[in-house]
């Protein structure tokens, strides 16, 4: 059974930084996505960033490009989201999610169906 556990959220002032972690277990596949999504109050869930187990590309939402960085520590089986220059509009619950990969267009990652979800971690950015 695949499990994802997100952590690292908190309260930070605008301009500050946080690093989110997504600890994974049970992933025994060769080709899969691990991504971050977020959902702000009253808004739809949106894709933030994504990486893949078998290639170096990383994707970012336009709203976070240049500020957020996704990375993975394969030894620790953990994916990170380093968030810098945070803005009040980054306030949301952040979720890590994953799915198996087949032969689809990976640039459509925000709209794909995901097999595994973490429980979410709250990020609050004060102005």
């Amino acid at each position: 059974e695949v499990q994802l556990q997100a952590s690292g959220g908190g309260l930070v002032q605008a301009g500050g930084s946080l690093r989110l972690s997504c600890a994974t277990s049970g992933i025994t596949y060769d080709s899969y996505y691990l991504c971050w999504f977020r959902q702000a109050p009253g808004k739809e869930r949106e894709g933030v960033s994504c990486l893949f187990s078998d290639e170096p590309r990383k994707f970012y939402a336009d709203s976070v490009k240049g500020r957020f960085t996704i990375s993975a520590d394969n030894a620790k089986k953990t994916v990170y989201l380093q968030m810098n220059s945070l803005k009040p509009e980054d306030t949301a619950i952040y979720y890590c999610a994953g799915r198996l990969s087949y032969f689809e267009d990976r640039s459509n990652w925000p709209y794909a169906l995901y097999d595994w979800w973490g429980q979410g971690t709250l990020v609050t950015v004060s102005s």
Side-chain angles (χ1 to χ4, degrees):
E1 179 188 7
V2 173
Q3 293 187 331
L4 307 180
Q5 184 164 1
S7 61
L11 174 63
V12 64
Q13 288 188 332
S17 298
L18 281 174
R19 188 178 78 159
L20 305 184
S21 300
C22 176
T24 74
S25 62
I27 297 179
T28 59
Y29 310 99
D30 292 330
S31 185
Y32 55 89
Y33 303 20
L34 286 171
C35 310
W36 288 95
F37 290 80
R38 67 185 180 186
Q39 188 164 20
K43 294 188 177 181
E44 292 189 353
R45 187 175 62 206
E46 64 170 337
V48 176
S49 185
C50 196
L51 55 70
F52 310 97
S53 62
D54 56 0
E55 63 153 310
R57 284 188 301 171
K58 298 175 181 178
F59 288 100
Y60 297 93
D62 288 343
S63 58
V64 307
K65 279 180 183 175
R67 301 188 298 122
F68 290 12
T69 303
I70 192 171
S71 63
D73 183 328
N74 292 330
K76 294 183 178 180
K77 299 181 180 179
T78 299
V79 174
Y80 301 99
L81 186 68
Q82 177 66 43
M83 306 186 296
N84 298 329
S85 303
L86 282 161
K87 304 175 181 180
E89 51 264 42
D90 295 317
T91 294
I93 299 174
Y94 284 71
Y95 300 90
C96 56
R99 58 162 283 157
L100 294 176
S101 181
Y102 301 98
F103 302 103
E104 70 282 0
D105 181 354
R106 292 178 174 182
S107 65
N108 289 327
W109 66 273
Y111 313 108
L113 294 176
Y114 283 77
D115 302 306
W116 321 307
W117 288 90
Q119 83 285 10
T121 185
L122 177 62
V123 172
T124 304
V125 184
S126 63
S127 57

